Amino acid sequence: MLKIENLHASVEDKAILRGINLEVKPGEVHAIMGPNGSGKSTLSSVIAGKEEYDVTEGSIIFNDEDIEDLAAEERAHKGIFLSFQYPVEIPGVSVTNFMKTAINETRKAQGLEEMPAKDMLKLIREKSELLEIDRKFLSRSLNEGFSGGEKKRNEIFQMAMLEPKLAILDETDSGLDIDALRIVANGVNKLKNKDNAVVVITHYQRLLDYIVPDFVHVLYNGRIVKSGGKELAHELEEKGYDWIKEEVNA
Amino acid sequence: MDLKDKLVSSFLAFENRVDVDTYVHDVRSDAIKIFEEKGFPTKKEEAWKYTSLNSVLKQDYSLFPQKESSIEYGDVKKYFIHDIDSYKIVFIDGKYSSYLSQTTHDGIDVCLMSAAISKPKYRLVIENYFNKAATKDSLSSLNTAFSSEGAYIHIPKNKLVEKPIQIIHFSTGSEAATMLQPRNLIVVDENSHVQIIERHQSLTNNPVLTNSVTEIFTNKRAIVDYYKIQNDSENASLIDNTFVKQKRESHASVHTFSFGGKLIRNNLNFFQNGERIDSTLKGVTIIGNKQHVDHNTLVHHIEPNCESHQDYKGIFDDSSTGVFNGKVVVEKEAQKTNAFQANNNILISDKATINTKPQLEIFADDVKCSHGCTIGQLDESAMFYMRSRGIPEKEAKGLLMYAFSNNVLSSVKIPEVKQRITKLIATKLGVNIGFDL
Ligand SMILES: Nc1ncnc2c1ncn2[C@@H]1O[C@H](COP(=O)(O)OP(=O)(O)OP(=O)(O)O)[C@@H](O)[C@H]1O
Ligand SMILES: [Mg+2]
């Protein structure tokens, strides 16, 4: 589904990603961990098509198509979804209207008719129940004045609405209380099937108890320096990153 | 011959054609002298620093279009707010069009200035109000000198006028270039309430220059809501001089929506003569190409316990230019004044400019005055966020800008007007906003 080869990316001539290789197959869950500033959010932004970053080398192949020249919205239309580490506030646009627009634009791009209002309402009801989101919440301006946890839960609500093929969850667990973490993880698991894939970026093993990864990667200094199974996350939780840094620097 | 000379030299002939034997005659004669002395404003004047009339004045305007042009309602229906029952005062090339209009004398007067200044039964109102709010600046004086036609609205006390009044000025382009000088007088007596929608619309691309003066008087506890829709064709320019004189406990609001036209200068002046007056001035400007829109506002707080609210939003694309010059004067006696002013702008293109300048002159010490102006670009992180959810760049931009201007729309009280403005904004931004945000 996703194949990243030797990806180098920089911002204002400062290299941040320096040769990433990563392959994600349908049905898989990958976890990416790594110290602060190692490039995890940059990698997710580059996959989602943020123009600020220059891809200087390498390629991103999504479902056999090189997506380098695709705009962010085109990538979204193809099924890539990014749950932001820091969701952006959009004053004056309600959650509901934002979702309506996002869904109908995606349908338009796929050559489909707009979703009938009745179906839209039903979908919104269903997904907000899944994530235990109060209906009143949906008429508020998107993310404006939302608490940290509310923003994250809302990100997963949007994911549930859009049903992407590849979801990248950038620190979706941070800011969530224990109950919310369970609800959100449960939501992600319900949406998971053999045809889609999830990449979770996290600092904590805790989330991975709920969303169990098939692979765990450590990103350090713009490279994936170690990959393993879910036990790698336990090892990191126990020992921190120093041993990996030593291995790399040796 | 330049435009000024042409105007001055045509004055006598003009006055001879209209009724000389009236109160207005003397007012006109004084006014032409003021204009002759002052001439058109130039950029040397502080208030005109950022707006040059040069390109507009160099046309050879026909001052008194002679041809009678008629237009079919079907062709211009779209310029009306046609989905509501309303009174209409419609002019074609400066002349009253009875078949497009719907006036009344039934308990209220919704009719013509030409009738009001010539018929004895209006004499008292004319003497009490005509030219009593307009300032003696050169452009207002020029309008006064040639004032002969426009809307005349008099609402006696205790009337709630249910139907809004639409004042529409069409120009047909029957002359190569046309100058129009409509003159409106609106007097709303005690406890009465009226809503007015005004529009200037050129039907061709021939140059049009409109120098309009509107005087609005709100007497005790009267309420006036005024909506200006400025979405004219690309060679039409407008100098709108509006003067609102308020008595105690009255509420007046003017919303100005500027989307079209070549050059627009709005001189909007509020004078508060009494306590507990409320004045609202709001506007949304969305322009591009080489368009120019200048909002020059004045709120004069004279007595205690009054409020004023100014909120102007501007979105500027291409090489368009905007000006906001908001002056608030709070006299020494005007204690407990609450004056709020905001002007927020988004520049979409590197070549667009906005000059924004608040001017507060506060002589009272117990007042609450706030003002703020911002100039920004579209929020890039918001753009990426929206696009990453599948909303294309253009729609994302439109949505952000629509949301930006939305709070000005929230105070529009006529739903059909709000809807129309929403549509105009969506069209202007090139997006399909299928819902009310
Ligand atoms: N737009 C930018 N301009 C300048 N530097 C940037 C930019 N984006 C990222 N960086 C830098 O790139 C490096 C990687 O940042 P990134 O946000 O990808 O790290 P991260 O792994 O997500 O960290 P964290 O765990 O703290 O979220 C950091 O040093 C950061 O300062
Ligand atoms: Mg990060």
Side-chain angles (χ1 to χ4, degrees):
Chain A
M1 171 175 296
L2 177 72
K3 196 164 184 197
I4 298 176
E5 275 177 351
N6 190 31
L7 182 69
H8 288 249
S10 57
V11 62
E12 289 157 4
D13 292 328
K14 178 181 157 204
I16 302 174
L17 302 182
R18 312 196 241 179
I20 302 257
N21 293 291
L22 178 69
E23 185 167 3
V24 179
K25 298 207 176 85
E28 291 179 348
V29 175
H30 288 241
I32 298 179
M33 305 181 80
N36 293 133
S38 58
K40 303 181 296 296
S41 294
T42 303
L43 175 61
S44 25
S45 297
V46 170
I47 298 171
K50 192 166 188 176
E51 284 159 5
E52 201 179 326
Y53 298 103
D54 295 321
V55 173
T56 50
E57 250 189 275
S59 62
I60 306 172
I61 311 291
F62 184 68
N63 285 338
D64 301 323
E65 184 187 0
D66 190 331
I67 59 171
E68 185 178 345
D69 293 331
L70 296 188
E73 58 269 30
E74 294 172 305
R75 298 182 196 205
H77 298 156
K78 293 197 181 296
I80 296 177
F81 178 89
L82 169 60
S83 168
F84 281 55
Q85 182 176 359
Y86 305 108
V88 183
E89 303 196 352
I90 317 277
V93 182
S94 72
V95 178
T96 304
N97 284 329
F98 181 72
M99 278 332 295
K100 278 185 195 167
T101 311
I103 284 182
N104 282 330
E105 289 296 344
T106 301
R107 290 176 66 94
K108 198 156 83 186
Q110 293 163 345
L112 298 170
E113 294 275 298
E114 285 200 353
M115 186 181 282
K118 190 167 93 286
D119 297 2
M120 184 75 78
L121 284 175
K122 187 163 159 271
L123 188 66
I124 290 174
R125 189 171 327 121
E126 199 181 297
K127 302 300 183 184
S128 57
E129 274 165 18
L130 174 67
L131 288 148
E132 296 178 28
I133 289 175
D134 191 338
R135 210 79 62 73
K136 267 184 273 163
F137 211 77
L138 302 175
S139 54
R140 281 175 60 180
S141 279
L142 183 57
N143 292 327
E144 194 181 35
F146 288 17
S147 75
E150 286 166 347
K151 283 182 184 168
K152 295 303 175 69
R153 194 189 294 218
N154 191 259
E155 291 289 280
I156 302 306
F157 165 70
Q158 292 185 41
M159 171 186 154
M161 291 288 293
L162 292 164
E163 296 193 345
K165 292 204 181 74
L166 172 71
I168 304 164
L169 313 183
D170 191 357
E171 294 198 26
T172 300
D173 52 340
S174 60
L176 290 177
D177 66 41
I178 297 158
D179 293 336
L181 182 69
R182 198 177 28 76
I183 293 164
V184 162
N186 184 34
V188 173
N189 286 333
K190 281 235 172 86
L191 297 163
K192 189 76 208 51
N193 60 39
K194 65 177 183 7
D195 298 319
N196 60 23
V198 181
V199 175
V200 288
I201 294 169
T202 183
H203 286 296
Y204 307 105
Q205 160 58 34
R206 204 182 48 192
L207 176 69
L208 304 180
D209 287 340
Y210 293 103
I211 305 174
V212 182
D214 301 299
F215 301 94
V216 174
H217 310 278
V218 179
L219 189 66
Y220 175 57
N221 244 336
R223 285 195 194 96
I224 288 177
V225 294
K226 199 166 189 70
S227 296
K230 62 177 184 241
E231 64 290 341
L232 178 55
H234 286 283
E235 203 175 346
L236 293 170
E237 180 93 352
E238 226 169 86
K239 300 202 272 181
Y241 289 110
D242 281 352
W243 62 284
I244 290 186
K245 290 182 189 168
E246 272 162 32
E247 261 182 41
V248 173
N249 295 334
Chain B
M1 188 161 35
D2 75 6
L3 186 56
K4 180 189 166 187
D5 295 340
K6 186 169 164 180
L7 282 158
V8 171
S9 62
S10 68
F11 180 72
L12 278 182
F14 159 81
E15 269 263 275
N16 280 329
R17 259 196 330 243
V18 295
D19 214 343
V20 233
D21 192 25
T22 61
Y23 164 80
V24 175
H25 167 72
D26 293 336
V27 182
R28 284 194 197 112
S29 310
D30 291 343
I32 194 69
K33 279 185 213 128
I34 297 174
F35 173 70
E36 190 171 4
E37 190 187 310
K38 291 187 178 167
F40 284 104
T42 67
K43 289 182 93 170
K44 290 197 194 94
E45 290 169 44
E46 188 60 30
W48 289 85
K49 201 165 153 188
Y50 300 109
T51 297
S52 167
L53 290 177
N54 284 346
S55 70
V56 169
L57 298 180
K58 66 170 193 259
Q59 298 289 343
D60 187 19
Y61 293 108
S62 151
L63 302 182
F64 313 103
Q66 287 312 312
K67 289 184 205 131
E68 290 278 347
S69 302
S70 71
I71 43 187
E72 291 294 325
Y73 176 66
D75 296 337
V76 293
K77 187 178 165 197
K78 62 181 178 201
Y79 302 117
F80 290 83
I81 307 290
H82 51 74
D83 38 10
I84 45 172
D85 200 8
S86 66
Y87 297 110
K88 302 173 194 77
I89 314 174
V90 182
F91 304 93
I92 301 173
D93 295 328
K95 287 192 206 59
Y96 176 60
S97 164
S98 61
Y99 74 100
L100 289 176
S101 300
Q102 191 194 329
T103 58
T104 186
H105 294 290
D106 185 10
I108 60 177
D109 286 312
V110 176
C111 58
L112 301 180
M113 182 62 104
S114 55
I117 52 184
S118 59
K119 291 190 184 159
K121 70 167 177 171
Y122 302 108
R123 219 187 75 203
L124 216 58
V125 178
I126 291 293
E127 287 188 13
N128 282 334
Y129 295 101
F130 184 85
N131 213 37
K132 293 296 195 309
T135 54
K136 306 289 176 279
D137 63 282
S138 67
L139 291 163
S140 303
S141 299
L142 173 62
N143 176 288
T144 302
F146 290 95
S147 56
S148 62
E149 191 57 291
Y152 172 86
I153 298 168
H154 180 207
I155 315 294
K157 65 181 184 182
N158 303 326
K159 296 262 180 215
L160 194 156
V161 184
E162 305 253 357
K163 296 199 263 180
I165 302 167
Q166 303 194 52
I167 306 170
I168 306 189
H169 300 271
F170 289 111
S171 49
T172 61
S174 62
E175 307 275 351
T178 308
M179 182 169 182
L180 298 171
Q181 301 211 64
R183 176 73 175 215
N184 306 315
L185 176 63
I186 295 145
V187 179
V188 185
D189 287 339
E190 260 184 72
N191 293 323
S192 287
H193 180 187
V194 67
Q195 299 177 307
I196 298 166
I197 302 154
E198 180 195 289
R199 184 162 188 162
H200 301 265
Q201 191 64 48
S202 162
L203 302 174
T204 68
N205 273 335
N206 282 356
V208 179
L209 170 61
T210 303
N211 176 42
S212 150
V213 168
T214 303
E215 295 183 284
I216 303 169
F217 296 85
T218 60
N219 286 314
K220 202 164 88 187
R221 284 194 297 278
I223 303 174
V224 175
D225 296 310
Y226 206 106
Y227 304 98
K228 290 173 186 283
I229 302 175
Q230 303 178 336
N231 190 32
D232 215 339
S233 68
E234 63 188 49
N235 281 321
S237 294
L238 172 67
I239 301 164
D240 179 314
N241 308 281
T242 297
F243 304 90
V244 186
K245 208 165 178 174
Q246 294 185 256
K247 288 241 174 87
R248 74 184 168 93
E249 291 161 64
S250 66
H251 287 230
S253 72
V254 175
H255 286 74
T256 308
F257 299 101
S258 315
F259 308 133
K262 175 186 162 87
L263 178 148
I264 299 176
R265 162 76 172 214
N266 287 300
N267 293 315
L268 180 56
N269 306 274
F270 278 71
F271 308 102
Q272 297 184 335
N273 297 289
E275 292 201 36
R276 289 188 291 286
I277 288 170
D278 196 289
S279 308
T280 298
L281 302 77
K282 295 195 178 191
V284 177
T285 302
I286 304 176
I287 54 172
N289 300 325
K290 287 194 167 135
Q291 289 180 283
H292 178 87
V293 172
D294 178 348
H295 290 287
N296 189 71
T297 69
L298 165 70
V299 179
H300 197 164
H301 290 275
I302 301 167
E303 294 195 35
N305 299 312
C306 293
E307 298 194 10
S308 66
H309 307 268
Q310 294 192 59
D311 190 357
Y312 282 83
K313 308 268 185 197
I315 298 174
F316 303 90
D317 202 352
D318 307 320
S319 309
S320 64
T321 48
V323 183
F324 177 80
N325 196 346
K327 188 169 174 177
V328 176
V329 181
V330 182
E331 296 292 351
K332 207 162 75 206
E333 294 73 24
Q335 297 294 3
K336 307 267 187 223
T337 290
N338 204 339
F340 168 85
Q341 183 187 79
N343 173 234
N344 304 303
N345 303 286
I346 293 180
L347 299 179
I348 303 176
S349 125
D350 306 339
K351 288 192 234 90
T353 47
I354 167 81
N355 283 291
T356 170
K357 187 172 104 185
Q359 244 179 301
L360 305 185
E361 295 177 10
I362 301 169
F363 303 103
D365 47 26
D366 184 15
V367 299
K368 255 193 241 152
C369 293
S370 72
H371 71 91
C373 42
T374 60
I375 302 172
Q377 272 82 35
L378 275 183
D379 181 351
E380 282 300 325
S381 56
M383 283 294 292
F384 175 58
Y385 184 77
M386 301 177 95
R387 293 176 71 185
S388 82
R389 298 290 139 93
I391 301 175
E393 185 177 16
K394 198 172 128 194
E395 277 69 24
K397 249 189 198 172
L399 212 53
L400 279 183
M401 292 187 289
Y402 184 75
F404 168 77
S405 51
N406 193 46
N407 65 335
V408 169
L409 285 189
S410 64
S411 56
V412 172
K413 291 186 200 136
I414 308 173
E416 290 80 2
V417 171
K418 193 166 164 175
Q419 216 168 52
R420 180 64 65 88
I421 300 294
T422 304
K423 262 198 200 130
L424 287 176
I425 290 180
T427 312
K428 190 76 193 179
L429 298 175
V431 290
N432 178 15
I433 295 169
F435 52 80
D436 214 18
L437 288 173

